[in-house]
Amino acid sequence: MVIRWGICSAGKISHDFTVALKTLPAENHQVLAVAARDLKRAQEFAQKHSIPRAYGCYEDLAKDPEIDVVYVGTIHPHHLSHGVLFMNAQKNVLCEKPLAMNLREVQELIASAQNNHVFLMEAVWTRFFPVSLEIGRLLSQGEVGELKLARADFGVPLTHVPRAVEKELGGGALLDIGIYCLQFVLMVFNGERPESIQATGVCLDTGVDEAMVITLKFSGHRLAVCTCTISAELPNEAVIVGTKGTIKVPAHMWCPTSLLVNGVETQYPVPEPTLPLNFINSTGMCYEAEEVRRCLLAGLKQSSRMSHADSALLAEIMDEARRQVGVVYSQDSQ
Ligand SMILES: NC(=O)c1ccc[n+]([C@@H]2O[C@H](COP(=O)([O-])OP(=O)(O)OC[C@H]3O[C@@H](n4cnc5c(N)ncnc54)[C@H](OP(=O)(O)O)[C@@H]3O)[C@@H](O)[C@H]2O)c1
């Protein structure tokens, strides 16, 4: 059965997500409509991707009765209002990460999904990669013994990108890329709440975090370290250390195509794109799209691999890390 997608915004990630959908069977996924703030840009996007319908405002997409699920690809300060717009129109929603600016907003989105009886998932695409599924299998079967430590880093120079540095556009390393390190650690620790969170960071003149190091302590004397920066290229790897071995995710840990288990490497290539992409390995968003389809066909309102509770815990930890480093958004005082 075909799932009919609507795309909210004609920006960079919306382009890549639409290319990713095209790698999947057309009888399973159809992009039926795109909406942007400007009709001309929506029409250009529609033409480029052979999308039948283009709308010049998001409200018109919300009113389209033939859309099953909306992909929200706007910048993060708008995720709350756009998510609620579509869910109030009884649309299922896959929303880009971070799901919202803080825990309060994430809880509003979850409440909206529950009240409207629709599906909602934060687009933490990494969790649906074959590498992530293999990590889950290795950990559950004790292949590296008992888990002791996890480490992840994500650093790329982004200070030239306005939405990465301007506070009102939701700038800051943690919400943009550090979230991938935290979600990795929480995946490895099976959604467990850490016993303690310690964050250190440096901020730009705009008041957002340029770099952060977050140390998490989990039950049973287990630790995790997350490092993110928007001013330098880091190794961009992740490592899981157990009592009997090591799992390493080489760069790029947020969209991984290989895995080393005790030094033995296996490759997991992503599908080839049909158009040039804005971001590396973006066709790997096909895995999260498949998860959305699976959930919708099963009548599920959330995915167990990236649940509402997972999104809430991520937001809660990011709120605490920002509090310790002193990064405050206008949304925090509402
Ligand atoms: N999964 C991933 O790998 C990945 C990669 C990059 C980004 N992201 C996430 O995707 C989201 C968008 O990132 P992007 O790089 O695609 O951003 P972008 O291209 O700069 O902007 C995306 C869209 O947001 C809307 N927008 C931009 N600036 C706005 C403003 N000042 N006021 C109101 N609306 C504005 C526009 O929608 P219209 O087209 O309707 O005008 C724009 O096309 C972010 O939340 C980011 O965290 C995810």
Side-chain angles (χ1 to χ4, degrees), residues 229-266:
T229 174
I230 53 170
S231 63
E233 183 89 23
L234 293 179
N236 293 327
E237 297 169 345
V239 179
I240 302 163
V241 182
T243 49
K244 291 187 193 154
T246 299
I247 300 169
K248 181 171 165 185
V249 185
H252 305 275
M253 57 74 56
W254 62 94
C255 50
T257 54
S258 69
L259 189 67
L260 281 114
V261 183
N262 296 326
V264 179
E265 187 163 11
T266 308

PDB file of all heavy atoms in Angstrom, residues 229-266:
ATOM      1  N   THR A 229      31.079  20.178  18.103  1.00  0.00           N
ATOM      2  CA  THR A 229      31.541  21.525  17.808  1.00  0.00           C
ATOM      3  C   THR A 229      31.125  21.913  16.400  1.00  0.00           C
ATOM      4  O   THR A 229      31.086  21.055  15.504  1.00  0.00           O
ATOM      5  CB  THR A 229      33.077  21.661  17.954  1.00  0.00           C
ATOM      6  OG1 THR A 229      33.458  22.977  17.512  1.00  0.00           O
ATOM      7  CG2 THR A 229      33.843  20.634  17.132  1.00  0.00           C
ATOM      8  N   ILE A 230      30.814  23.210  16.235  1.00  0.00           N
ATOM      9  CA  ILE A 230      30.509  23.712  14.885  1.00  0.00           C
ATOM     10  C   ILE A 230      31.668  24.563  14.351  1.00  0.00           C
ATOM     11  O   ILE A 230      31.503  25.279  13.375  1.00  0.00           O
ATOM     12  CB  ILE A 230      29.183  24.505  14.842  1.00  0.00           C
ATOM     13  CG1 ILE A 230      29.167  25.626  15.892  1.00  0.00           C
ATOM     14  CG2 ILE A 230      27.989  23.578  14.982  1.00  0.00           C
ATOM     15  CD1 ILE A 230      27.991  26.597  15.740  1.00  0.00           C
ATOM     16  N   SER A 231      32.845  24.448  15.002  1.00  0.00           N
ATOM     17  CA  SER A 231      33.973  25.263  14.539  1.00  0.00           C
ATOM     18  C   SER A 231      35.184  24.440  14.110  1.00  0.00           C
ATOM     19  O   SER A 231      36.221  25.019  13.783  1.00  0.00           O
ATOM     20  CB  SER A 231      34.383  26.278  15.604  1.00  0.00           C
ATOM     21  OG  SER A 231      34.831  25.601  16.745  1.00  0.00           O
ATOM     22  N   ALA A 232      35.082  23.117  14.123  1.00  0.00           N
ATOM     23  CA  ALA A 232      36.224  22.290  13.713  1.00  0.00           C
ATOM     24  C   ALA A 232      35.726  20.918  13.264  1.00  0.00           C
ATOM     25  O   ALA A 232      34.642  20.490  13.654  1.00  0.00           O
ATOM     26  CB  ALA A 232      37.201  22.122  14.868  1.00  0.00           C
ATOM     27  N   GLU A 233      36.551  20.272  12.465  1.00  0.00           N
ATOM     28  CA  GLU A 233      36.242  18.907  12.027  1.00  0.00           C
ATOM     29  C   GLU A 233      36.787  17.946  13.085  1.00  0.00           C
ATOM     30  O   GLU A 233      37.979  17.981  13.414  1.00  0.00           O
ATOM     31  CB  GLU A 233      36.926  18.655  10.673  1.00  0.00           C
ATOM     32  CG  GLU A 233      36.641  17.320  10.049  1.00  0.00           C
ATOM     33  CD  GLU A 233      35.405  17.322   9.162  1.00  0.00           C
ATOM     34  OE1 GLU A 233      34.993  18.387   8.668  1.00  0.00           O
ATOM     35  OE2 GLU A 233      34.844  16.232   8.970  1.00  0.00           O
ATOM     36  N   LEU A 234      35.925  17.124  13.647  1.00  0.00           N
ATOM     37  CA  LEU A 234      36.352  16.103  14.613  1.00  0.00           C
ATOM     38  C   LEU A 234      36.474  14.759  13.886  1.00  0.00           C
ATOM     39  O   LEU A 234      36.060  14.652  12.722  1.00  0.00           O
ATOM     40  CB  LEU A 234      35.337  16.013  15.753  1.00  0.00           C
ATOM     41  CG  LEU A 234      35.222  17.231  16.687  1.00  0.00           C
ATOM     42  CD1 LEU A 234      34.149  16.995  17.743  1.00  0.00           C
ATOM     43  CD2 LEU A 234      36.550  17.558  17.347  1.00  0.00           C
ATOM     44  N   PRO A 235      36.990  13.728  14.531  1.00  0.00           N
ATOM     45  CA  PRO A 235      37.036  12.405  13.880  1.00  0.00           C
ATOM     46  C   PRO A 235      35.649  11.882  13.492  1.00  0.00           C
ATOM     47  O   PRO A 235      35.509  11.081  12.575  1.00  0.00           O
ATOM     48  CB  PRO A 235      37.690  11.519  14.942  1.00  0.00           C
ATOM     49  CG  PRO A 235      38.486  12.450  15.781  1.00  0.00           C
ATOM     50  CD  PRO A 235      37.708  13.748  15.808  1.00  0.00           C
ATOM     51  N   ASN A 236      34.624  12.353  14.223  1.00  0.00           N
ATOM     52  CA  ASN A 236      33.238  11.998  13.900  1.00  0.00           C
ATOM     53  C   ASN A 236      32.971  10.502  13.985  1.00  0.00           C
ATOM     54  O   ASN A 236      32.288   9.915  13.132  1.00  0.00           O
ATOM     55  CB  ASN A 236      32.842  12.556  12.529  1.00  0.00           C
ATOM     56  CG  ASN A 236      32.800  14.074  12.549  1.00  0.00           C
ATOM     57  OD1 ASN A 236      32.465  14.661  13.579  1.00  0.00           O
ATOM     58  ND2 ASN A 236      33.155  14.699  11.450  1.00  0.00           N
ATOM     59  N   GLU A 237      33.527   9.912  15.045  1.00  0.00           N
ATOM     60  CA  GLU A 237      33.387   8.472  15.273  1.00  0.00           C
ATOM     61  C   GLU A 237      32.580   8.221  16.550  1.00  0.00           C
ATOM     62  O   GLU A 237      32.405   9.118  17.364  1.00  0.00           O
ATOM     63  CB  GLU A 237      34.767   7.842  15.486  1.00  0.00           C
ATOM     64  CG  GLU A 237      35.673   7.941  14.295  1.00  0.00           C
ATOM     65  CD  GLU A 237      37.116   7.549  14.639  1.00  0.00           C
ATOM     66  OE1 GLU A 237      37.478   7.475  15.842  1.00  0.00           O
ATOM     67  OE2 GLU A 237      37.867   7.341  13.691  1.00  0.00           O
ATOM     68  N   ALA A 238      32.187   6.970  16.690  1.00  0.00           N
ATOM     69  CA  ALA A 238      31.580   6.543  17.952  1.00  0.00           C
ATOM     70  C   ALA A 238      32.206   5.212  18.350  1.00  0.00           C
ATOM     71  O   ALA A 238      32.570   4.411  17.484  1.00  0.00           O
ATOM     72  CB  ALA A 238      30.070   6.396  17.798  1.00  0.00           C
ATOM     73  N   VAL A 239      32.325   5.015  19.654  1.00  0.00           N
ATOM     74  CA  VAL A 239      32.950   3.793  20.166  1.00  0.00           C
ATOM     75  C   VAL A 239      32.121   3.267  21.338  1.00  0.00           C
ATOM     76  O   VAL A 239      31.646   4.041  22.176  1.00  0.00           O
ATOM     77  CB  VAL A 239      34.400   4.065  20.649  1.00  0.00           C
ATOM     78  CG1 VAL A 239      35.030   2.791  21.200  1.00  0.00           C
ATOM     79  CG2 VAL A 239      35.255   4.620  19.526  1.00  0.00           C
ATOM     80  N   ILE A 240      31.951   1.958  21.355  1.00  0.00           N
ATOM     81  CA  ILE A 240      31.282   1.300  22.491  1.00  0.00           C
ATOM     82  C   ILE A 240      32.283   0.301  23.058  1.00  0.00           C
ATOM     83  O   ILE A 240      32.808  -0.541  22.316  1.00  0.00           O
ATOM     84  CB  ILE A 240      30.018   0.539  22.017  1.00  0.00           C
ATOM     85  CG1 ILE A 240      29.038   1.491  21.324  1.00  0.00           C
ATOM     86  CG2 ILE A 240      29.355  -0.185  23.183  1.00  0.00           C
ATOM     87  CD1 ILE A 240      27.980   0.770  20.488  1.00  0.00           C
ATOM     88  N   VAL A 241      32.538   0.422  24.356  1.00  0.00           N
ATOM     89  CA  VAL A 241      33.520  -0.474  24.970  1.00  0.00           C
ATOM     90  C   VAL A 241      32.808  -1.377  25.975  1.00  0.00           C
ATOM     91  O   VAL A 241      32.087  -0.904  26.852  1.00  0.00           O
ATOM     92  CB  VAL A 241      34.635   0.335  25.670  1.00  0.00           C
ATOM     93  CG1 VAL A 241      35.677  -0.605  26.274  1.00  0.00           C
ATOM     94  CG2 VAL A 241      35.291   1.291  24.683  1.00  0.00           C
ATOM     95  N   GLY A 242      33.022  -2.678  25.808  1.00  0.00           N
ATOM     96  CA  GLY A 242      32.470  -3.661  26.736  1.00  0.00           C
ATOM     97  C   GLY A 242      33.588  -4.416  27.430  1.00  0.00           C
ATOM     98  O   GLY A 242      34.770  -4.220  27.120  1.00  0.00           O
ATOM     99  N   THR A 243      33.221  -5.295  28.350  1.00  0.00           N
ATOM    100  CA  THR A 243      34.254  -6.047  29.094  1.00  0.00           C
ATOM    101  C   THR A 243      34.984  -7.046  28.202  1.00  0.00           C
ATOM    102  O   THR A 243      36.067  -7.509  28.534  1.00  0.00           O
ATOM    103  CB  THR A 243      33.618  -6.800  30.282  1.00  0.00           C
ATOM    104  OG1 THR A 243      32.477  -7.520  29.783  1.00  0.00           O
ATOM    105  CG2 THR A 243      33.191  -5.846  31.378  1.00  0.00           C
ATOM    106  N   LYS A 244      34.397  -7.392  27.036  1.00  0.00           N
ATOM    107  CA  LYS A 244      35.045  -8.392  26.176  1.00  0.00           C
ATOM    108  C   LYS A 244      35.370  -7.886  24.781  1.00  0.00           C
ATOM    109  O   LYS A 244      35.726  -8.688  23.910  1.00  0.00           O
ATOM    110  CB  LYS A 244      34.114  -9.614  26.037  1.00  0.00           C
ATOM    111  CG  LYS A 244      33.961 -10.413  27.303  1.00  0.00           C
ATOM    112  CD  LYS A 244      33.162 -11.677  27.010  1.00  0.00           C
ATOM    113  CE  LYS A 244      32.710 -12.335  28.296  1.00  0.00           C
ATOM    114  NZ  LYS A 244      31.500 -13.134  28.079  1.00  0.00           N
ATOM    115  N   GLY A 245      35.217  -6.575  24.541  1.00  0.00           N
ATOM    116  CA  GLY A 245      35.546  -6.111  23.196  1.00  0.00           C
ATOM    117  C   GLY A 245      35.040  -4.709  22.921  1.00  0.00           C
ATOM    118  O   GLY A 245      34.494  -4.031  23.807  1.00  0.00           O
ATOM    119  N   THR A 246      35.236  -4.297  21.670  1.00  0.00           N
ATOM    120  CA  THR A 246      34.931  -2.920  21.273  1.00  0.00           C
ATOM    121  C   THR A 246      34.181  -2.895  19.954  1.00  0.00           C
ATOM    122  O   THR A 246      34.510  -3.626  19.017  1.00  0.00           O
ATOM    123  CB  THR A 246      36.256  -2.140  21.111  1.00  0.00           C
ATOM    124  OG1 THR A 246      36.931  -2.135  22.364  1.00  0.00           O
ATOM    125  CG2 THR A 246      36.014  -0.698  20.686  1.00  0.00           C
ATOM    126  N   ILE A 247      33.185  -2.013  19.898  1.00  0.00           N
ATOM    127  CA  ILE A 247      32.470  -1.746  18.649  1.00  0.00           C
ATOM    128  C   ILE A 247      32.818  -0.318  18.246  1.00  0.00           C
ATOM    129  O   ILE A 247      32.690   0.602  19.060  1.00  0.00           O
ATOM    130  CB  ILE A 247      30.943  -1.859  18.851  1.00  0.00           C
ATOM    131  CG1 ILE A 247      30.543  -3.259  19.321  1.00  0.00           C
ATOM    132  CG2 ILE A 247      30.202  -1.479  17.566  1.00  0.00           C
ATOM    133  CD1 ILE A 247      29.091  -3.349  19.783  1.00  0.00           C
ATOM    134  N   LYS A 248      33.252  -0.155  17.008  1.00  0.00           N
ATOM    135  CA  LYS A 248      33.591   1.198  16.572  1.00  0.00           C
ATOM    136  C   LYS A 248      32.760   1.555  15.344  1.00  0.00           C
ATOM    137  O   LYS A 248      32.642   0.756  14.406  1.00  0.00           O
ATOM    138  CB  LYS A 248      35.081   1.268  16.232  1.00  0.00           C
ATOM    139  CG  LYS A 248      35.538   2.640  15.800  1.00  0.00           C
ATOM    140  CD  LYS A 248      37.050   2.683  15.697  1.00  0.00           C
ATOM    141  CE  LYS A 248      37.468   3.915  14.926  1.00  0.00           C
ATOM    142  NZ  LYS A 248      38.895   3.970  14.677  1.00  0.00           N
ATOM    143  N   VAL A 249      32.175   2.746  15.373  1.00  0.00           N
ATOM    144  CA  VAL A 249      31.463   3.280  14.214  1.00  0.00           C
ATOM    145  C   VAL A 249      32.357   4.362  13.611  1.00  0.00           C
ATOM    146  O   VAL A 249      32.490   5.442  14.186  1.00  0.00           O
ATOM    147  CB  VAL A 249      30.103   3.895  14.609  1.00  0.00           C
ATOM    148  CG1 VAL A 249      29.334   4.322  13.365  1.00  0.00           C
ATOM    149  CG2 VAL A 249      29.287   2.938  15.453  1.00  0.00           C
ATOM    150  N   PRO A 250      32.997   4.076  12.481  1.00  0.00           N
ATOM    151  CA  PRO A 250      33.874   5.100  11.898  1.00  0.00           C
ATOM    152  C   PRO A 250      33.049   6.262  11.345  1.00  0.00           C
ATOM    153  O   PRO A 250      31.825   6.157  11.202  1.00  0.00           O
ATOM    154  CB  PRO A 250      34.589   4.361  10.756  1.00  0.00           C
ATOM    155  CG  PRO A 250      34.258   2.910  10.927  1.00  0.00           C
ATOM    156  CD  PRO A 250      32.973   2.851  11.673  1.00  0.00           C
ATOM    157  N   ALA A 251      33.729   7.360  10.997  1.00  0.00           N
ATOM    158  CA  ALA A 251      33.020   8.511  10.421  1.00  0.00           C
ATOM    159  C   ALA A 251      32.207   8.039   9.214  1.00  0.00           C
ATOM    160  O   ALA A 251      32.668   7.183   8.459  1.00  0.00           O
ATOM    161  CB  ALA A 251      34.044   9.558   9.974  1.00  0.00           C
ATOM    162  N   HIS A 252      31.014   8.517   9.071  1.00  0.00           N
ATOM    163  CA  HIS A 252      30.389   9.578   9.850  1.00  0.00           C
ATOM    164  C   HIS A 252      29.351   8.930  10.764  1.00  0.00           C
ATOM    165  O   HIS A 252      28.372   8.396  10.269  1.00  0.00           O
ATOM    166  CB  HIS A 252      29.737  10.591   8.911  1.00  0.00           C
ATOM    167  CG  HIS A 252      30.752  11.102   7.904  1.00  0.00           C
ATOM    168  ND1 HIS A 252      31.598  12.155   8.187  1.00  0.00           N
ATOM    169  CD2 HIS A 252      31.083  10.675   6.687  1.00  0.00           C
ATOM    170  CE1 HIS A 252      32.388  12.387   7.155  1.00  0.00           C
ATOM    171  NE2 HIS A 252      32.104  11.503   6.226  1.00  0.00           N
ATOM    172  N   MET A 253      29.555   9.050  12.080  1.00  0.00           N
ATOM    173  CA  MET A 253      28.765   8.241  13.013  1.00  0.00           C
ATOM    174  C   MET A 253      27.260   8.518  12.957  1.00  0.00           C
ATOM    175  O   MET A 253      26.473   7.685  13.385  1.00  0.00           O
ATOM    176  CB  MET A 253      29.286   8.409  14.451  1.00  0.00           C
ATOM    177  CG  MET A 253      29.336   9.801  15.043  1.00  0.00           C
ATOM    178  SD  MET A 253      27.789  10.569  15.529  1.00  0.00           S
ATOM    179  CE  MET A 253      27.118   9.404  16.656  1.00  0.00           C
ATOM    180  N   TRP A 254      26.855   9.664  12.425  1.00  0.00           N
ATOM    181  CA  TRP A 254      25.419   9.970  12.360  1.00  0.00           C
ATOM    182  C   TRP A 254      24.740   9.349  11.119  1.00  0.00           C
ATOM    183  O   TRP A 254      23.527   9.306  11.041  1.00  0.00           O
ATOM    184  CB  TRP A 254      25.173  11.472  12.393  1.00  0.00           C
ATOM    185  CG  TRP A 254      25.765  12.222  11.225  1.00  0.00           C
ATOM    186  CD1 TRP A 254      25.129  12.554  10.055  1.00  0.00           C
ATOM    187  CD2 TRP A 254      27.102  12.720  11.108  1.00  0.00           C
ATOM    188  NE1 TRP A 254      26.000  13.217   9.233  1.00  0.00           N
ATOM    189  CE2 TRP A 254      27.213  13.341   9.852  1.00  0.00           C
ATOM    190  CE3 TRP A 254      28.202  12.720  11.964  1.00  0.00           C
ATOM    191  CZ2 TRP A 254      28.406  13.942   9.419  1.00  0.00           C
ATOM    192  CZ3 TRP A 254      29.376  13.315  11.530  1.00  0.00           C
ATOM    193  CH2 TRP A 254      29.469  13.917  10.272  1.00  0.00           C
ATOM    194  N   CYS A 255      25.548   8.910  10.163  1.00  0.00           N
ATOM    195  CA  CYS A 255      24.985   8.259   8.960  1.00  0.00           C
ATOM    196  C   CYS A 255      25.942   7.143   8.538  1.00  0.00           C
ATOM    197  O   CYS A 255      26.533   7.172   7.463  1.00  0.00           O
ATOM    198  CB  CYS A 255      24.776   9.261   7.840  1.00  0.00           C
ATOM    199  SG  CYS A 255      26.230  10.301   7.502  1.00  0.00           S
ATOM    200  N   PRO A 256      26.101   6.133   9.406  1.00  0.00           N
ATOM    201  CA  PRO A 256      27.207   5.180   9.294  1.00  0.00           C
ATOM    202  C   PRO A 256      27.024   4.153   8.172  1.00  0.00           C
ATOM    203  O   PRO A 256      25.943   3.608   7.983  1.00  0.00           O
ATOM    204  CB  PRO A 256      27.188   4.479  10.654  1.00  0.00           C
ATOM    205  CG  PRO A 256      25.770   4.571  11.100  1.00  0.00           C
ATOM    206  CD  PRO A 256      25.226   5.849  10.558  1.00  0.00           C
ATOM    207  N   THR A 257      28.131   3.895   7.480  1.00  0.00           N
ATOM    208  CA  THR A 257      28.101   2.885   6.416  1.00  0.00           C
ATOM    209  C   THR A 257      29.102   1.761   6.675  1.00  0.00           C
ATOM    210  O   THR A 257      29.303   0.914   5.812  1.00  0.00           O
ATOM    211  CB  THR A 257      28.395   3.524   5.040  1.00  0.00           C
ATOM    212  OG1 THR A 257      29.627   4.242   5.139  1.00  0.00           O
ATOM    213  CG2 THR A 257      27.278   4.455   4.611  1.00  0.00           C
ATOM    214  N   SER A 258      29.751   1.793   7.835  1.00  0.00           N
ATOM    215  CA  SER A 258      30.598   0.650   8.192  1.00  0.00           C
ATOM    216  C   SER A 258      30.658   0.504   9.709  1.00  0.00           C
ATOM    217  O   SER A 258      30.347   1.447  10.458  1.00  0.00           O
ATOM    218  CB  SER A 258      32.005   0.794   7.599  1.00  0.00           C
ATOM    219  OG  SER A 258      32.688   1.835   8.234  1.00  0.00           O
ATOM    220  N   LEU A 259      31.049  -0.694  10.119  1.00  0.00           N
ATOM    221  CA  LEU A 259      31.081  -1.022  11.550  1.00  0.00           C
ATOM    222  C   LEU A 259      32.275  -1.934  11.804  1.00  0.00           C
ATOM    223  O   LEU A 259      32.498  -2.879  11.038  1.00  0.00           O
ATOM    224  CB  LEU A 259      29.780  -1.748  11.918  1.00  0.00           C
ATOM    225  CG  LEU A 259      29.520  -1.998  13.388  1.00  0.00           C
ATOM    226  CD1 LEU A 259      29.292  -0.680  14.122  1.00  0.00           C
ATOM    227  CD2 LEU A 259      28.273  -2.880  13.569  1.00  0.00           C
ATOM    228  N   LEU A 260      33.029  -1.624  12.859  1.00  0.00           N
ATOM    229  CA  LEU A 260      34.151  -2.494  13.244  1.00  0.00           C
ATOM    230  C   LEU A 260      33.814  -3.163  14.565  1.00  0.00           C
ATOM    231  O   LEU A 260      33.568  -2.479  15.570  1.00  0.00           O
ATOM    232  CB  LEU A 260      35.430  -1.675  13.412  1.00  0.00           C
ATOM    233  CG  LEU A 260      36.147  -1.291  12.119  1.00  0.00           C
ATOM    234  CD1 LEU A 260      36.105   0.209  11.919  1.00  0.00           C
ATOM    235  CD2 LEU A 260      37.590  -1.761  12.184  1.00  0.00           C
ATOM    236  N   VAL A 261      33.816  -4.482  14.551  1.00  0.00           N
ATOM    237  CA  VAL A 261      33.581  -5.230  15.786  1.00  0.00           C
ATOM    238  C   VAL A 261      34.875  -5.967  16.109  1.00  0.00           C
ATOM    239  O   VAL A 261      35.302  -6.839  15.339  1.00  0.00           O
ATOM    240  CB  VAL A 261      32.410  -6.218  15.627  1.00  0.00           C
ATOM    241  CG1 VAL A 261      32.133  -6.928  16.953  1.00  0.00           C
ATOM    242  CG2 VAL A 261      31.159  -5.490  15.142  1.00  0.00           C
ATOM    243  N   ASN A 262      35.510  -5.571  17.194  1.00  0.00           N
ATOM    244  CA  ASN A 262      36.833  -6.106  17.552  1.00  0.00           C
ATOM    245  C   ASN A 262      37.788  -6.071  16.364  1.00  0.00           C
ATOM    246  O   ASN A 262      38.495  -7.041  16.076  1.00  0.00           O
ATOM    247  CB  ASN A 262      36.702  -7.517  18.127  1.00  0.00           C
ATOM    248  CG  ASN A 262      35.919  -7.487  19.436  1.00  0.00           C
ATOM    249  OD1 ASN A 262      36.013  -6.525  20.197  1.00  0.00           O
ATOM    250  ND2 ASN A 262      35.122  -8.513  19.675  1.00  0.00           N
ATOM    251  N   GLY A 263      37.770  -4.947  15.651  1.00  0.00           N
ATOM    252  CA  GLY A 263      38.717  -4.725  14.564  1.00  0.00           C
ATOM    253  C   GLY A 263      38.288  -5.272  13.212  1.00  0.00           C
ATOM    254  O   GLY A 263      38.925  -4.994  12.201  1.00  0.00           O
ATOM    255  N   VAL A 264      37.207  -6.049  13.170  1.00  0.00           N
ATOM    256  CA  VAL A 264      36.752  -6.626  11.900  1.00  0.00           C
ATOM    257  C   VAL A 264      35.679  -5.718  11.306  1.00  0.00           C
ATOM    258  O   VAL A 264      34.633  -5.474  11.931  1.00  0.00           O
ATOM    259  CB  VAL A 264      36.200  -8.059  12.101  1.00  0.00           C
ATOM    260  CG1 VAL A 264      35.710  -8.635  10.767  1.00  0.00           C
ATOM    261  CG2 VAL A 264      37.260  -8.941  12.729  1.00  0.00           C
ATOM    262  N   GLU A 265      35.932  -5.229  10.075  1.00  0.00           N
ATOM    263  CA  GLU A 265      35.046  -4.217   9.487  1.00  0.00           C
ATOM    264  C   GLU A 265      34.040  -4.837   8.519  1.00  0.00           C
ATOM    265  O   GLU A 265      34.369  -5.719   7.726  1.00  0.00           O
ATOM    266  CB  GLU A 265      35.884  -3.171   8.737  1.00  0.00           C
ATOM    267  CG  GLU A 265      35.044  -2.003   8.236  1.00  0.00           C
ATOM    268  CD  GLU A 265      35.879  -0.792   7.858  1.00  0.00           C
ATOM    269  OE1 GLU A 265      37.112  -0.930   7.779  1.00  0.00           O
ATOM    270  OE2 GLU A 265      35.284   0.285   7.643  1.00  0.00           O
ATOM    271  N   THR A 266      32.805  -4.346   8.587  1.00  0.00           N
ATOM    272  CA  THR A 266      31.760  -4.737   7.635  1.00  0.00           C
ATOM    273  C   THR A 266      31.176  -3.453   7.041  1.00  0.00           C
ATOM    274  O   THR A 266      30.982  -2.463   7.760  1.00  0.00           O
ATOM    275  CB  THR A 266      30.631  -5.528   8.349  1.00  0.00           C
ATOM    276  OG1 THR A 266      31.225  -6.590   9.084  1.00  0.00           O
ATOM    277  CG2 THR A 266      29.636  -6.085   7.353  1.00  0.00           C
TER     278      THR A 266
END
